Amino acid sequence: MKKLVLVFLLFVTVSVYADEIDDVIAALQKNIDKVQDMQCSVEMNVDMGDMGVQRQSMKMWSKGKDKIRMEMNAPAGLPVSPSAMGRGTPSGKMTMIMNGDKMIMDTPEGKKTLPSGSSPFSPGQAAPPGMDLQQDFGDFLKKNKVSVISGKKSLIKNLLSRNTSSETPKEIVLEVIPENKDPMIQKMEMTVDMLRGVITGQKMFSNYGTTKMNMEYENIKGAWVIKKVNMTIPTPMGKTGKMTIEYKNVKLNQGIGDRLFEE
């Protein structure tokens, strides 16, 4: 009898944890579905202490979950990812288009077609930090090992009672272990605001240390849209950099055509 009880409890626990993640994905997706297309200007500031502050401005358009266009004038030496700290990017105008499974980079060094996972920001990230949170995040969570490490008791109680409206906790914290091992991202922790359906905090653990992100949002046409990202970034040189990304003049659902995302 005890064995049957233990098996039943294990089954219920596994089922509840699966429901937890499904509810998180549903909360995020509900907000994401309100954004068909988006256009904005982006300002990035990178402060490396003694190395000075680098600034970059760009215009950006996005549509659906797999179309992005960015136009920028990149100052020489701007480090835009932990792996690029101290190396930077070439100066001059740069256009990047992501459309489906390919990415076109048009830089002063020439035009290249790359896999969609390539980018000047970080491995697997095709847009400035924060913008990826406005796209389909459900697939990412489904493909990796995810568990709820904070807010769990309240969430389980509500799931068992199926009272997930006003009783749903505002924030929970997820731990994400990437399926594919990467020294740049060994583990992630995400703070999810379940009521707004957004990720408000993120930690990425790597061989270099811990990258921390805090996100701010604004409500536009009923959708919570990324407004500002503050980051602290460890570097291979043992220093800590600070990055601020601001999204301004945001316009949603303007009916952007597909031709904008072609070569």
Side-chain angles (χ1 to χ4, degrees):
M1 186 63 180
K2 288 183 178 179
K3 289 184 178 179
L4 287 175
V5 172
L6 289 173
V7 170
F8 174 74
L9 289 175
L10 178 61
F11 173 76
V12 170
T13 301
V14 171
S15 299
V16 168
Y17 287 178
D19 282 348
E20 284 180 344
I21 306 307
D22 287 343
D23 276 15
V24 172
I25 292 173
L28 294 172
Q29 195 63 46
K30 183 178 179 180
N31 186 61
I32 291 170
D33 287 344
K34 297 175 182 177
V35 180
Q36 282 75 55
D37 60 59
M38 174 176 168
Q39 62 185 73
C40 62
S41 57
V42 183
E43 293 184 5
M44 299 175 61
N45 293 314
V46 180
D47 185 351
M48 289 300 294
D50 294 340
M51 297 174 64
V53 177
Q54 297 281 359
R55 295 179 174 85
Q56 183 178 33
S57 299
M58 69 181 76
K59 293 182 179 180
M60 184 164 59
W61 299 260
S62 69
K63 183 176 182 179
K65 66 178 182 179
D66 61 356
K67 292 182 175 66
I68 294 177
R69 181 188 180 96
M70 294 188 295
E71 297 177 357
M72 68 196 80
N73 286 307
L78 176 67
V80 290
S81 74
S83 60
M85 289 293 182
R87 189 173 69 247
T89 57
S91 62
K93 185 177 180 180
M94 180 168 74
T95 300
M96 188 202 82
I97 299 174
M98 186 185 80
N99 192 337
D101 60 356
K102 69 176 181 178
M103 180 181 294
I104 297 99
M105 298 281 291
D106 191 354
T107 74
E109 297 178 335
K111 183 182 291 188
K112 297 179 181 178
T113 299
L114 305 166
S116 60
S118 307
S119 101
F121 298 103
S122 66
Q125 183 172 320
M131 186 60 195
D132 54 324
L133 305 181
Q134 297 289 159
Q135 298 178 315
D136 189 354
F137 222 70
D139 285 346
F140 172 78
L141 294 178
K142 290 175 182 177
K143 291 177 181 178
N144 297 287
K145 182 180 178 181
V146 184
S147 59
V148 179
I149 60 175
S150 178
K152 182 181 297 185
K153 291 182 180 179
S154 298
L155 188 56
I156 290 175
K157 180 180 178 181
N158 293 325
L159 285 167
L160 288 175
S161 65
R162 291 302 169 189
N163 180 16
T164 57
S165 55
S166 61
E167 296 298 322
T168 304
K170 182 179 180 182
E171 287 189 340
I172 62 172
V173 180
L174 302 178
E175 179 183 76
V176 183
I177 307 296
E179 183 177 294
N180 299 320
K181 300 297 182 181
D182 187 333
M184 294 302 298
I185 305 178
Q186 297 174 337
K187 184 179 76 170
M188 300 174 67
E189 290 182 5
M190 299 179 182
T191 302
V192 182
D193 184 328
M194 293 291 284
L195 296 183
R196 293 188 294 170
V198 295
I199 296 171
T200 58
Q202 189 167 286
K203 295 180 181 178
M204 293 176 285
F205 301 86
S206 72
N207 287 348
Y208 301 128
T210 303
T211 298
K212 298 179 181 179
M213 298 173 58
N214 292 302
M215 284 71 82
E216 299 176 13
Y217 296 83
E218 62 179 327
N219 193 297
I220 300 177
K221 295 184 176 181
W224 290 102
V225 181
I226 192 71
K227 180 180 180 181
K228 187 176 182 180
V229 180
N230 292 307
M231 298 179 65
T232 57
I233 309 168
T235 73
M237 297 86 74
K239 295 182 178 292
T240 299
K242 294 181 180 180
M243 182 185 293
T244 301
I245 305 100
E246 293 188 74
Y247 293 82
K248 300 181 177 181
N249 304 315
V250 178
K251 295 181 181 179
L252 295 185
N253 306 332
Q254 300 293 301
I256 298 175
D258 290 340
R259 290 192 63 181
L260 187 66
F261 307 97
E262 298 174 356
E263 295 185 52

